[in-house]
């Protein structure tokens, strides 16, 4: 006889029949009936109508029947709260039962009944059970606190259960400790601010002791909890690591990964010179590899985490490349992850093996996998320079297979290789061109067009090739259209005589026949560029492009550091911080890796010093955001915007002229042809209608000119030179900045008895090269007791010498009596320039790029401004808000400013409504300015 | 923590659900079905799926999907490990983990699930403890129960539950005291076209079957423990003893369990016991191809290689295969395109081979990809890594147990590229 009989139904109606059986006198029949009810429940049938009948069976000595009834109650109590009350008495009674199993069962079940009225009755029994003599009951009760907290958090706090739970961390039984930790962690998750898990060296010691003795699941809870602890120095970190290391040999992969998390995090505090550091690195590799021999689901999660670990500490797995080789019957999700890690581990030493494998994969059946394998070959070429040649020839071999999707994928990656190694592999272009007709995917077509445009001068029939694409221009995707437009303009600039018609055709297609604003904008820009100043056009369009690098597909360092703290969690699977996806965003605390401690710092050489910071040695590389390939195609317009040649070659021309001449110089006497009237109106935004003095630079720099008219904050004049020190001459003054020019406002008072004449002023060399832009002009002699106010314009082209303090300015003033010296401190904000607003992407990239040591944090107290007001105030002093974000009731302003000498300062200003203190974090490549920028902030905000 | 569990069969029926917190509607599984549809193959369903309000973490075992629903940040490995433990427990209790077995024992399943997890926290997952709480079904017991009215549920607290050795119960008694160890090694390897090894490693386990009375304290030592540098231990093993003396010292659970698993990586040379000569070719513009494979012994340490099977996933354009084996038998499934050759033993005098013609779909282009050969084999009385047990000592009990060690080497994921 099996339980499947419970699923058979009769014609009369199941519920009716069950009801009769439940009320039967025979114990055995009752039990069978309850089993039938449970069976229906397991398949999701609604048997809640039987509630009173089932609850009637609760008073029984038979433990199995009792458990079954409890099972039922847990499922349906919520739908029948009034009836559920009937069960309370039995629960309370059971909590007093001499058998610990029954006591525990009662308290456990009561916690699962999510009915308010019942929870009231739960408190007393729970309190008793938390102090029960039997550890089994205590550990069950610990979990029950978490359940109760979920139902009624206030009640748990009022009843003091949290404190009891904290006491259980010191319990003598390791299982109780583990459950208490688990319960506290769950409660803490919904109360991010409370420091429930207040870890100190003593409690850590208790946890580490319990760690050795509790069950595997308990070990996971304890390890996850340990990972949140911040050891006070490297010695403590090392001793914790030593005690956690044995967990790496556990059979349960979740224990292993949680242990890896603790070690990865605390390792951050250990000095790299330490022997133990090396030992630890060696110990980490085998368990990670072992995870890959587990079931595919476990492998997947392990691989996602390994992906993070190899980015953070590539040395751990650098010799283990082979375990990531793909087996043909791995599930696709495992294959793709393995491939990604293979690329990350690829180096000169193993590149031959990797390439051989990738080539093998490129002939597999699974299309997605094959594509990714081909792309991986391209990534290898970009990552390992020595292998580039071999990668290119592998790709050419693959193109020879003529398998359509392989060819297309190969062309896309070859374009990237060209971007990394310009003018090196152009010999393959001919082969690529042969496959032109087979390309049907937009990305591949766009890549091919880019190649043709970029190397137009070396491809004899480039014009024919591009023309062939032009026929179906409107059926192409935007990506291809944009690329085609750019490519033809490039071609035209390279071979102006033959392709004039073509370029006109594409310009009119893009600007007149297209509905796509991006395409039209790009079309107009080219059009105007070509017609205004072809030389400049050449410099813009054919400018040297920044190289791409493999860094682009790495996770950026701050996020990586945060994710390392989340190893083993969902965040590590998604490679996003929990704040990005945890529902409601509640309970999210940002975690960060611990900094290296002072005791170890002294021993470090400068190369190894920056712990979590990126190494700043990638000057010729743009760390592009997001998808590498998506960005590539749009890059060709970006870089030249700020290029100096533009400004130099600017032409003074009216709006009408813009569209007419100019080109003649390029194409001789052939007439370029006036663009249609529609263009004139559409192409010329209102503010460009006026004659443009600065020519092309304005065209691009649409954001400039928003410069503030009100000017920066001006401090009241202060006495710089008292009369007694200067034989009667008193000088007070201040610094101002207005519409881009700095001046020193002076007030000279003659307190002597004689007339003063022949004034002159000179500055000593200073940090920012401030110097008078004009001589000090005091027109009339200054008679006794007379005061004159004047403004001395300054520039920043004087000679530079670093001063201490940085903003110290030494001034010499001469008059007919003597020479006087004084020094003053100028507020740094007069040096904040008007174009100090950084582009968002740029801001993000720069912020990450600046090492963490350069970050400085300051408090601005007693400044009760709201976000809006603060932002406006700062803006008028040329501190620009790049982005604004609200996190947990706090406003974060991300701001940028630029000093006259081109130093950028990035700031994060945190404002909490209602709190008069603000927190300012500054990042700058020249950290010494931070202090002064902070002072400037304070001055601006408080006035 | 784990919120709910759904069991789903291959045809997409949810045949069991269990909720540890509030009830989550079955409709949440729709997201899973969506992912399943996208994946095409059941094995390719991603194990972590996010839905607007929940996360679904699933495993695929024995043609069943175990789909768990979670709502807060939980370590996914923890969930996956737990789900495998659930499947192991079903296997242990009912002899198989199948829809039929679960439906036949639905009440026990429910009791087990309730015992294994409380509010999403694992409670008791050790088979020894569970069996004390809930007795496994046996025919005899169900007959006895129906006569006496007694139950399957133990009413005392399991003895191991809170001791320092939760995996063992007290008061174990056997008339014959026995301790058997199976050293099982699987070779995972990728062999390339030319026959050289791309990647090879040995995945080994020592499975134990311990039937000893009382509280025996065992130590197992090896002739060459240095081979074991990457080991995962059952919690019963004293790690410090291993670190200092390279001896496995432990109080064993009662019954069958996995003592250790280990990995011998490619750095130490892994012996490859078989080689395959292959010639698989498809002619351009013709609807046929040639297929010819021969298997021979390589580094087999003088032992017989047996239980050989070769499985090949042929390209889609293959219609049929017309082959002759010199030994064993072969089948070709024209739907799944899987060729399976059951070879049996290798006799070095006459190497087994399988040759013949391949019929292709006419007009279709010649297949680009070459099929990989998947090879299975078995070598008795050999641990290919060379691992050897030195001795087993027992302390703490007076009787003299019967001891035994068996070695076997198998092919794991053993693939030959052609």
């Amino acid at each position: 006889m099996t339980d499947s009989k419970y699923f058979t139904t009769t014609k009369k109606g199941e519920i009716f029949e069950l009801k009769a059986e439940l009320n039967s006198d025979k114990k055995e029949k009752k039990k069978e009936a309850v089993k039938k009810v449970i069976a229906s429940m397991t398949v999701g049938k609604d048997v809640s109508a039987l509630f009173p009948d089932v609850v009637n069976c609760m008073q029984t000595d038979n433990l199995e029947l009792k458990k079954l009834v409890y099972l039922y109650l847990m499922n349906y109590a919520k739908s029948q709260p009034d009836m559920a009350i009937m069960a309370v008495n039995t629960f309370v009674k059971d909590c007093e039962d001499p058998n610990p199993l029954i006591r525990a069962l009662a308290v456990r079940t009561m916690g699962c009944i999510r009915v308010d009225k019942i929870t009231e009755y739960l408190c007393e029994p729970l309190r008793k059970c938390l102090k029960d003599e039997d550890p089994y009951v205590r550990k069950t009760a610990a979990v029950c606190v978490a359940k109760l907290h979920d139902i009624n958090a206030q009640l748990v706090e009022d009843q003091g259960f949290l404190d009891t739970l904290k006491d259980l961390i010191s319990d003598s039984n390791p299982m109780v400790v583990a459950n208490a930790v688990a319960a506290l962690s769950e409660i803490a998750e919904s109360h991010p601010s409370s420091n429930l898990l207040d870890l100190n060296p003593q409690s850590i010691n208790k946890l580490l002791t319990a760690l050795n003795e509790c069950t595997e699941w308990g070990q996971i809870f304890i390890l996850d909890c340990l990972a949140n602890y911040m050891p006070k120095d490297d010695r403590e970190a090392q001793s914790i690591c030593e005690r956690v290391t044995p967990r790496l040999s556990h059979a349960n992969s979740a224990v292993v990964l949680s242990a890896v998390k603790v070690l990865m995090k605390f390792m951050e505090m250990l000095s790299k010179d330490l022997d133990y550091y090396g030992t630890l690195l060696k110990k980490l590799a085998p368990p990670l590899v072992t995870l890959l021999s587990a079931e595919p689901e476990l492998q997947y999660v392990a691989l996602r985490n390994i992906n993070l670990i190899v980015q953070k500490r590539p040395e751990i797995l650098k010799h283990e490349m082979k375990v990531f080789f793909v087996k043909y019957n791995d599930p696709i999700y495992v294959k793709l992850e393995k491939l990604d890690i293979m690329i990350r581990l690829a180096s000169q030493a193993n590149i031959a093996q990797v390439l051989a494998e990738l080539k093998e994969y490129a002939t597999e059946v699974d299309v997605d996998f094959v594509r990714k394998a081909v792309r991986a070959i391209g990534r290898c070429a970009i990552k390992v320079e020595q292998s580039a040649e071999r990668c290119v020839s592998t790709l050419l071999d693959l193109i020879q297979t003529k398998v359509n999707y392989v060819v297309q994928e190969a062309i896309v990656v070859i374009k990237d290789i060209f971007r990394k190694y310009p003018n090196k592999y152009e010999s393959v272009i001919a082969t690529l061109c042969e496959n032109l007709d087979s390309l049907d995917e937009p990305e591949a077509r766009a890549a091919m067009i880019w190649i043709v445009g970029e190397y137009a001068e070396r491809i004899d029939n480039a014009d024919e090739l591009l023309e062939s694409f032009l026929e179906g221009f409107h059926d192409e995707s935007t990506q291809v259209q944009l690329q085609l437009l750019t490519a033809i303009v490039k071609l035209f600039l390279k071979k102006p005589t033959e392709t004039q018609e073509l370029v006109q055709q594409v310009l009119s297609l893009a600007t007149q026949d297209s509905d796509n604003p991006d395409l039209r904008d790009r079309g107009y820009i080219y059009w105007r560029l070509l017609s205004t100043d072809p030389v400049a056009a050449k410099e813009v369009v054919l400018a040297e492009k920044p190289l791409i690098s493999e860094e682009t597909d790495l996770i950026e360092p701050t996020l990586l550091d945060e994710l390392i703290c989340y190893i083993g969690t969902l965040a590590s699977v998604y490679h996003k911080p929990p704040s990005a996806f945890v529902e409601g965003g509640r309970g999210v605390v940002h975690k960060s890796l611990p900094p290296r401690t002072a005791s170890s710092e002294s021993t470090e050489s400068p190369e190894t010093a920056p712990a979590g910071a990126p190494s700043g040695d990638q000057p010729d590389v743009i760390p592009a955001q997001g998808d590498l390939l998506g960005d590539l195609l749009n890059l060709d317009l970006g870089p030249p915007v700020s290029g100096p040649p533009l400004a130099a070659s600017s032409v003074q021309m009216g709006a009408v002229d813009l569209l007419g001449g100019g080109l003649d110089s390029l194409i001789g006497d052939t007439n370029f042809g006036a663009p249609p009237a529609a263009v004139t109106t559409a192409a010329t935004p209102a503010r460009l209608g006026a004659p443009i003095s600065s020519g092309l630079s304005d065209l691009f720099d649409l954001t400039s000119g928003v410069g503030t008219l009100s000017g920066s904050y001006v401090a009241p004049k202060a006495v710089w030179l008292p009369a007694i020190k200067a034989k009667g001459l008193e000088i007070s003054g201040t610094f101002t900045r207005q519409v881009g020019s700095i001046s020193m406002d002076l007030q000279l008072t003659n307190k002597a008895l004689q007339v003063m004449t022949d004034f002159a002023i000179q500055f000593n060399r200073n940090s920012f090269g401030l110097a008078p832009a004009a001589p000090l002009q005091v027109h009339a002699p200054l008679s006794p007791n007379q005061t004159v106010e004047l403004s001395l314009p300054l520039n920043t082209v004087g000679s530079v010498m670093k001063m201490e303090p940085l903003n110290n300015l030494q001034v010499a003033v001469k008059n007919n009596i003597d020479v006087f010296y004084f020094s003053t401190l100028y507020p740094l904000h007069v040096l904040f320039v008007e174009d100090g607003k950084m582009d968002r992407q740029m801001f993000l990239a720069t912020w990450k790029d600046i090492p963490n040591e350069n970050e400085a944090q300051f408090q601005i107290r007693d400044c009760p401004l709201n976000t809006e007001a603060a932002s406006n105030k700062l803006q008028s002093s040329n501190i620009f808000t790049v982005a604004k974000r609200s996190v947990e009731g706090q406003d974060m302003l991300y701001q940028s400013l630029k000093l006259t000498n081109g130093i950028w300062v990035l700031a994060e200003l945190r404002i909490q409504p209602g709190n008069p203190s603000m927190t300012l974090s500054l990042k700058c490549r020249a950290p010494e300015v931070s202090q002064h920028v902070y002072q400037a902030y304070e001055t601006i905000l408080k006035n | 923590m784990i919120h709910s569990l759904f069991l789903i069969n291959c045809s997409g029926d949810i045949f069991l659900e269990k909720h540890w917190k509030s009830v989550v509607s079955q409709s949440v599984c729709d997201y899973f079905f969506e992912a399943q549809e996208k994946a095409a193959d059941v094995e390719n369903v991603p194990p972590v799926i996010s839905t607007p309000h929940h996360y679904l973490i699933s495993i695929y075992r024995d043609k069943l999907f175990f789909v768990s629903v979670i709502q807060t940040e939980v370590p996914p490995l923890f969930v996956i490990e737990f789900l495998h433990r659930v499947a192991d427990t079903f296997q242990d209790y009912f002899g198989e983990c199948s829809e039929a077995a679960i439906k036949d024992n639905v009440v026990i399943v429910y009791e087990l699930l309730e015992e294994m997890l409380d509010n999403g926290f694992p409670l008791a997952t050790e088979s020894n403890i569970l069996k004390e709480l809930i007795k496994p079904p046996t025919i005899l017991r169900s007959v006895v129960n129906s006569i006496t009215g007694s139950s399957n549920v133990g009413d005392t607290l399991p003895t191991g539950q809170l001791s320092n050795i939760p995996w063992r119960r007290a008061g174990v008694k056997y008339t014959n005291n026995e301790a058997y160890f199976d050293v099982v090694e699987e070779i995972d390897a990728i062999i390339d076209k030319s026959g050289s090894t791309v990647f090879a490693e040995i995945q080994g386990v020592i499975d134990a079957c311990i039937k000893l009375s009382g509280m025996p304290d065992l130590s197992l030592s090896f002739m060459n423990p240095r081979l074991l540098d990457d080991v995962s231990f059952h919690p019963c093993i004293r790690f410090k003893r291993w670190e200092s003396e390279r001896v496995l010292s432990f109080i064993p659970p009662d019954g069958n369990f996995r003592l250790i698993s280990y990995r011998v990586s490619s750095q130490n040379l892994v012996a490859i016991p078989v080689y395959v000569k292959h010639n698989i070719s498809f002619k351009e513009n013709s609807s046929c191809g040639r297929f010819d494979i021969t298997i021979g012994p390589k580094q087999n340490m003088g032992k017989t290689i047996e239980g050989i099977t070769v499985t090949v996933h042929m390209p889609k354009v293959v219609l049929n295969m017309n082959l002759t084996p010199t030994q064993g038998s072969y089948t070709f499934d024209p739907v799944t395109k899987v060729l399976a050759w059951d070879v049996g033993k290798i006799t070095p005098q006459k190497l087994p081979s399988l040759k013949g013609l391949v019929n292709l779909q006419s007009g279709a282009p010649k297949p680009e990809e070459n099929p990989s050969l998947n090879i299975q084999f078995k070598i008795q009385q050999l641990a290919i890594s060379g691992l050897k047990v030195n001795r087993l000592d027992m302390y703490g009990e007076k009787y003299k147990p019967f001891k035994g060690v068996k070695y076997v080497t198998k092919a794991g994921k053993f693939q030959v590229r052609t």
Side-chain angles (χ1 to χ4, degrees), chain A residues 318-515:
Chain A
K318 67 178 173 208
H319 298 303
E320 301 288 351
M321 169 64 87
K322 282 185 174 179
V323 298
F324 298 103
F325 285 1
V326 173
K327 306 200 173 76
Y328 84 89
N329 46 5
D330 282 335
I332 181 77
Y333 56 81
V334 168
K335 283 182 176 174
L336 296 177
E337 285 307 313
K338 280 188 173 172
L339 202 54
D340 213 41
I341 294 171
M342 278 173 69
I343 309 297
R344 299 213 192 282
L345 289 177
S347 66
Q348 204 183 340
N350 56 23
I351 193 74
Q353 270 180 333
V354 174
L355 270 183
E357 278 296 300
L358 292 176
K359 200 175 170 187
E360 192 69 40
Y361 303 159
T363 61
E364 278 219 24
V365 193
D366 193 318
V367 177
D368 282 345
F369 180 58
V370 170
R371 281 174 183 274
K372 190 139 188 202
V374 176
R375 235 163 239 238
I377 297 175
R379 276 170 67 188
C380 278
I382 290 164
K383 183 166 181 196
V384 186
E385 188 162 356
Q386 294 81 357
S387 76
E389 188 141 6
R390 212 176 312 171
C391 294
V392 171
S393 77
T394 308
L395 287 169
L396 285 179
D397 287 352
L398 290 173
I399 288 177
Q400 297 306 341
T401 64
K402 304 272 176 202
V403 178
N404 192 273
Y405 52 84
V406 174
V407 173
Q408 310 214 35
E409 219 48 59
I411 286 182
V412 172
V413 297
I414 286 180
K415 177 209 63 189
D416 291 351
I417 295 176
F418 283 172
R419 291 277 326 260
K420 168 80 184 185
Y421 310 107
N423 305 319
K424 212 164 163 194
Y425 299 108
E426 282 67 38
S427 51
V428 309
I429 292 176
T431 323
L432 303 185
C433 289
E434 285 166 22
N435 293 286
L436 211 58
D437 301 333
S438 64
L439 308 179
D440 52 11
E441 288 163 24
E443 201 178 349
R445 287 172 83 83
M448 191 65 222
I449 293 169
W450 183 87
I451 292 172
V452 174
E454 189 65 17
Y455 296 101
E457 69 275 28
R458 314 197 192 174
I459 305 172
D460 294 339
N461 59 344
D463 49 344
E464 283 168 37
L465 293 178
L466 292 177
E467 200 169 1
S468 68
F469 282 104
L470 208 54
E471 281 162 18
F473 188 78
H474 289 295
D475 302 327
E476 300 282 1
S477 74
T478 314
Q479 191 183 13
V480 181
Q481 289 176 335
L482 286 169
Q483 211 45 254
L484 196 53
L485 172 62
T486 305
I488 292 180
V489 172
K490 282 183 193 164
L491 172 71
F492 170 67
L493 289 168
K494 289 175 178 174
K495 301 180 182 173
T497 42
E498 305 129 52
T499 54
Q500 208 194 124
E501 222 167 279
L502 196 60
V503 79
Q504 260 186 339
Q505 202 181 339
V506 77
L507 285 175
S508 77
L509 277 172
T511 53
Q512 291 168 54
D513 301 345
S514 171
D515 295 333

Side-chain angles (χ1 to χ4, degrees), chain A residues 883-904:
Chain A
K884 191 180 134 180
R885 194 159 70 107
S886 291
V887 180
E888 291 152 35
Q890 298 190 338
D891 285 325
M892 318 277 271
L893 292 178
Y894 294 94
Q895 303 181 313
S896 71
L897 59 95
K898 192 165 101 177
L899 299 178
T900 44
N901 57 357
I903 292 179
W904 284 96

Side-chain angles (χ1 to χ4, degrees), chain B residues 30-149:
Chain B
D30 293 347
Y31 295 99
F32 176 80
F33 294 133
E34 213 173 276
Q36 193 183 3
E37 218 162 275
K38 231 184 269 168
D41 197 357
V42 278
E43 268 142 28
N44 288 340
V45 182
V48 184
I49 299 168
S50 71
T51 78
H53 301 287
H54 302 91
Y55 292 90
L56 304 179
I57 297 183
S58 64
I59 62 163
Y60 181 66
R61 274 270 300 251
D62 302 301
K63 304 213 163 82
L64 297 179
F65 284 106
F66 290 68
V67 182
S68 63
V69 180
I70 58 171
Q71 212 162 14
T72 47
E73 173 67 89
V74 178
L77 276 187
F78 164 99
V79 180
I80 296 173
E81 279 276 358
F82 178 80
L83 293 177
H84 278 292
R85 213 56 66 84
V86 170
D88 291 343
T89 308
F90 290 168
Q91 175 89 31
D92 193 24
Y93 265 71
F94 315 128
E96 55 167 356
C97 176
S98 66
E99 185 180 356
I102 292 169
K103 276 189 170 164
D104 282 353
N105 297 288
V106 69
V107 175
I108 292 187
V109 166
Y110 231 63
E111 286 170 346
L112 279 173
L113 290 175
E114 186 58 29
E115 221 42 76
M116 292 178 82
L117 212 60
D118 175 21
N119 194 38
F121 298 107
L123 204 54
T125 51
E126 287 286 338
S127 120
N128 268 299
I129 293 176
L130 284 171
K131 282 182 179 163
E132 276 185 74
L133 283 168
I134 300 156
K135 307 234 163 50
T138 58
I139 295 171
L140 182 67
R141 190 171 296 125
S142 65
V143 172
V144 172
N145 285 355
S146 59
I147 296 165
T148 61

Side-chain angles (χ1 to χ4, degrees), chain A residues 2-4 6-7 28 31 35 38-39 41-44 62-64 67-68 71 74-75 99-101 108 112 114 134-136 139-140 143 146-147 150 173-175 182-183 186 189 213 215-217 220-221 224 246 248-254 257 283 286-287 289-290 293 295 297-302 319-320 322-323 325-333 357 360-361 363-365 401 403 568-571 573-574 578 581-583 586, chain B residues 1 15-23 26 43-50 52-53 55 57-61 70 72-78 80-82 84-85 103-108 110-111 114-115 117-119 121-123 125-126 133-134 149-158 161-164 166 188 190 193 198-199 201 203 229-235 239 243 263 266-267 311 313 316 368-370 372 374 413 415 417:
Chain A
T2 69
D3 292 351
S4 47
Y6 302 132
F7 290 110
E28 201 44 39
K31 198 161 95 182
K35 283 191 176 179
I38 300 287
M41 206 169 82
T42 60
V43 288
N62 184 316
L63 190 57
E64 186 178 20
K67 278 191 173 181
L68 291 173
L71 274 177
M74 285 186 230
N75 237 17
N99 184 344
L101 194 60
R108 189 174 128 197
C112 292
R114 306 174 63 87
D134 194 302
Y136 181 73
K139 82 168 199 172
T140 315
V143 174
K147 295 181 195 170
D150 195 28
N173 186 292
M175 253 69 92
E186 188 172 88
E189 210 173 290
E213 292 168 5
T215 65
E216 47 196 312
W217 313 110
I220 301 172
F221 298 135
D224 285 348
L248 292 175
S249 302
H250 202 285
N252 185 321
S253 58
L257 203 56
K283 281 193 174 163
V289 173
T290 302
S293 52
E295 288 82 357
E297 300 93 1
L298 295 170
Q299 279 187 44
Y300 171 73
V301 177
H319 298 303
E320 301 288 351
K322 282 185 174 179
V323 298
F325 285 1
V326 173
K327 306 200 173 76
Y328 84 89
N329 46 5
D330 282 335
I332 181 77
Y333 56 81
E357 278 296 300
E360 192 69 40
Y361 303 159
T363 61
E364 278 219 24
V365 193
T401 64
V403 178
T569 66
L570 276 174
V573 173
Y574 286 105
F581 64 90
V582 167
E583 188 149 279
R586 89 188 153 114
Chain B
M1 291 292 126
F15 66 93
L16 188 113
E17 58 180 73
K18 166 81 183 126
H19 308 276
W20 284 277
K21 294 188 172 182
S22 49
V23 178
Q26 281 197 356
E43 268 142 28
N44 288 340
V45 182
V48 184
I49 299 168
S50 71
H53 301 287
Y55 292 90
I57 297 183
S58 64
I59 62 163
Y60 181 66
R61 274 270 300 251
I70 58 171
T72 47
E73 173 67 89
V74 178
L77 276 187
F78 164 99
I80 296 173
E81 279 276 358
F82 178 80
H84 278 292
R85 213 56 66 84
K103 276 189 170 164
D104 282 353
N105 297 288
V106 69
V107 175
I108 292 187
Y110 231 63
E111 286 170 346
E114 186 58 29
E115 221 42 76
L117 212 60
D118 175 21
N119 194 38
F121 298 107
L123 204 54
T125 51
E126 287 286 338
L133 283 168
I134 300 156
S150 65
S151 76
N152 281 331
V153 173
D155 55 6
T156 50
L157 200 56
Q161 180 75 287
L162 286 158
S163 68
N164 286 345
D188 286 352
I190 302 174
K193 278 188 194 63
V198 175
F199 158 81
E201 66 176 17
Q203 302 284 352
D229 60 345
D230 181 4
V231 201
S232 302
F233 296 123
H234 188 278
F239 188 74
E243 285 279 90
R263 190 176 64 91
S266 37
Q267 270 84 355
T311 335
H313 281 265
K316 282 199 194 74
E368 278 308 323
E369 74 274 5
N370 268 329
S372 284
N374 220 12
K413 286 183 169 170
Q415 303 183 350
R417 292 176 179 158

Side-chain angles (χ1 to χ4, degrees), chain A residues 112 218 242 932:
Chain A
C112 292
E242 278 165 1
H932 304 284

